[in-house]
Amino acid sequence: MTDETKHSIYTRLSHKGRAGTHVHGFVNPPVHRGSTVLVETMQQRRDNAAKAPTERVMTYGLGGSETHWALEDVVADIEGGTRCKIVPSGLAACTVPLLAYLGSGDHVLVPDSVYGPVRSFCDTMLKRMGVETTYYDPCITQADIAPLFRPNTKVLYTESPGSHTFEVQDVPGLAEVAHARGAKVLMDNTWGIFHFQPFTKGVDVSMQALTKYVGGHSDILLGSITVNTAEDWAAIRASNGQLGMFASPDDCWLALRGVRTMAVRMERQEKSALEVAAWMRNRPEVKEVLHPALPGARGHDIWKRDFTGACSLFGVVFQPGFAPERIDAVAEALQLFGMGASWGGFESLALPSGTMPRTAGTGDFGGPMMRLHVGLEAPADLIADLDQAMRKLHANEE
Ligand SMILES: *Cc1c(COP(=O)(O)O)cnc(C)c1O
């Protein structure tokens, strides 16, 4: 690769995926909205169709446009891959690769802490297709995962840290076992973003919900599927095309706007989240804080080995004596943290985790839980807000 790859993430996010000089000198690529792509001759049409699987030529709107390609180039660069496909949501980014590599009679290994809608996809559509799913403990060791592989295991799915409970997986170790058995390694890298380099750690296909920090403003849904080999690119491109997945160019343009400031936002949010997490950990009502970047927290050692930083999403486990309704009351009393799904925007969110659908016996941390997303607000204001809301834990202060 060129020297460019040595530039810092700040520099790359400012320079990748820019418009060429052909756009009148404007800095940003245009928004191309289009279905039909006209040709001058039938020979041109045939030539374009022949080139389309490997080169960027426009044959029809579904194949993407310069707007999509600019975003694809930025995401592929930050993940260290060669090609990327932008899809309409983070969930689509997770399901398309599963459909690309699995068929009737196959088996897939999925961590018990997987993003809920992916579990639902495995238990419904994949099951209907004749694909069997085994859920495994996300903290499983190399030695313990080996016997879970069967001759028909085609995919090892990973997500690290896990949804809601933030288990850090030994991705390089598990990938080694998967590759020895001829299985593909898929990873949901939404939490790691550019802080986890999937292709240097044994991952074949890396998925992200760009809805989160790349979008950064809670106003779009998008996903990315990044690969590092021509073989994986062919598989992803084919499945995506067969399904007719298409992301709006307007949303891609918004994501390109979001990604320019992402490293700066994330740096600030990472710092603020660690401050809030450390404060929470010292509260007597709190049993444990699930934040891999917090020294002494679960998963910290693997996080330190494999990640270069953290995002601003983490979990809090309250003391077991508090009823779930008390945790709901805390979330409802917060003034600066909104209550809602998703994360990665500029604003803080709090969501009681409720009962998680686990089937491999993991996920019980011994107390009611809440997930916090720390936004761009001042951490002192967020801490003061948590301080007042946590009075709701004590029923007599209602
Ligand atoms: C949000 C999320 C997704 C799905 O993203 P959407 O764009 O909301 O579909 C996938 N994986 C993880 C870990 C997520 O947090």
Side-chain angles (χ1 to χ4, degrees), residues 265-293:
R265 283 185 281 111
M266 280 190 63
E267 183 185 305
R268 166 65 188 261
Q269 286 174 263
E270 174 181 11
K271 199 164 160 277
S272 300
L274 281 166
E275 210 173 313
V276 174
W279 182 85
M280 284 299 267
R281 185 151 76 170
N282 285 330
R283 292 286 302 211
E285 300 93 337
V286 172
K287 181 171 183 281
E288 184 177 353
V289 170
L290 306 173
H291 190 325

Side-chain angles (χ1 to χ4, degrees), residues 23-329:
V23 197
H24 315 288
F26 285 120
V27 172
N28 295 299
V31 180
H32 281 294
R33 297 188 192 87
S35 49
T36 301
V37 176
L38 301 173
V39 287
E40 301 283 340
T41 65
M42 280 311 290
Q43 188 55 45
Q44 190 188 349
R45 188 170 153 81
R46 281 187 287 270
D47 290 347
N48 285 350
K51 284 185 209 154
T54 50
E55 290 175 45
R56 282 175 168 169
V57 289
M58 304 268 335
T59 55
Y60 184 58
L62 269 179
S65 67
E66 196 180 335
T67 323
H68 297 88
W69 299 338
L71 181 59
E72 287 172 5
D73 286 346
V74 179
V75 176
D77 179 74
I78 66 179
E79 291 212 84
T82 49
R83 293 298 294 264
C84 168
K85 191 81 202 165
I86 300 298
V87 291
S89 69
L91 180 56
C94 298
T95 58
V96 168
L98 288 169
L99 289 170
Y101 295 107
L102 293 164
S104 178
D106 290 341
H107 174 239
V108 56
L109 289 166
V110 175
D112 210 20
S113 51
V114 72
Y115 176 66
V118 171
R119 175 185 286 268
S120 161
F121 179 78
C122 294
D123 293 346
T124 56
M125 197 170 287
L126 284 189
K127 189 175 175 198
R128 214 157 63 228
M129 280 171 56
V131 176
E132 202 187 333
T133 304
T134 298
Y135 294 98
Y136 66 89
D137 178 347
C139 299
I140 201 165
T141 61
Q142 265 189 319
D144 288 340
I145 202 153
L148 299 184
F149 280 86
R150 305 176 190 169
N152 60 341
T153 307
K154 294 282 169 60
V155 170
L156 171 73
Y157 193 96
T158 63
E159 179 186 330
S160 180
S163 273
H164 288 280
T165 42
F166 305 94
E167 294 92 338
V168 185
Q169 299 199 257
D170 177 16
V171 173
L174 302 182
E176 203 176 281
V177 180
H179 287 153
R181 319 255 159 166
K184 287 284 178 191
V185 179
L186 273 45
M187 176 167 179
D188 183 332
N189 194 26
T190 302
W191 194 94
I193 317 173
F194 56 82
H195 286 310
F196 183 93
Q197 291 292 292
F199 304 108
T200 63
K201 301 196 166 55
V203 173
D204 298 302
V205 183
S206 179
M207 299 83 77
Q208 289 207 21
L210 306 184
T211 306
K212 310 291 164 56
Y213 294 92
V214 171
H217 297 76
S218 309
D219 52 6
I220 54 166
L221 287 148
L222 277 183
S224 61
I225 306 168
T226 306
V227 297
N228 202 31
T229 68
E231 175 200 317
D232 289 317
W233 174 246
I236 295 301
R237 183 184 174 278
S239 283
N240 191 73
Q242 287 151 14
L243 286 162
M245 290 281 175
F246 181 74
S248 150
D250 296 86
D251 289 345
C252 292
W253 187 85
L254 281 170
L256 278 166
R257 169 174 275 224
V259 87
R260 302 299 176 204
T261 57
M262 179 172 71
V264 181
R265 283 185 281 111
M266 280 190 63
E267 183 185 305
R268 166 65 188 261
Q269 286 174 263
E270 174 181 11
K271 199 164 160 277
S272 300
L274 281 166
E275 210 173 313
V276 174
W279 182 85
M280 284 299 267
R281 185 151 76 170
N282 285 330
R283 292 286 302 211
E285 300 93 337
V286 172
K287 181 171 183 281
E288 184 177 353
V289 170
L290 306 173
H291 190 325
L294 204 58
R298 273 174 215 249
H300 182 68
D301 291 345
I302 299 182
W303 172 82
K304 213 167 151 181
R305 184 193 70 185
D306 292 348
F307 291 72
T308 56
C311 72
S312 65
L313 185 79
F314 64 95
V316 176
V317 185
F318 290 92
Q319 299 292 359
F322 296 116
E325 300 75 49
R326 297 284 99 209
I327 311 304
D328 291 356

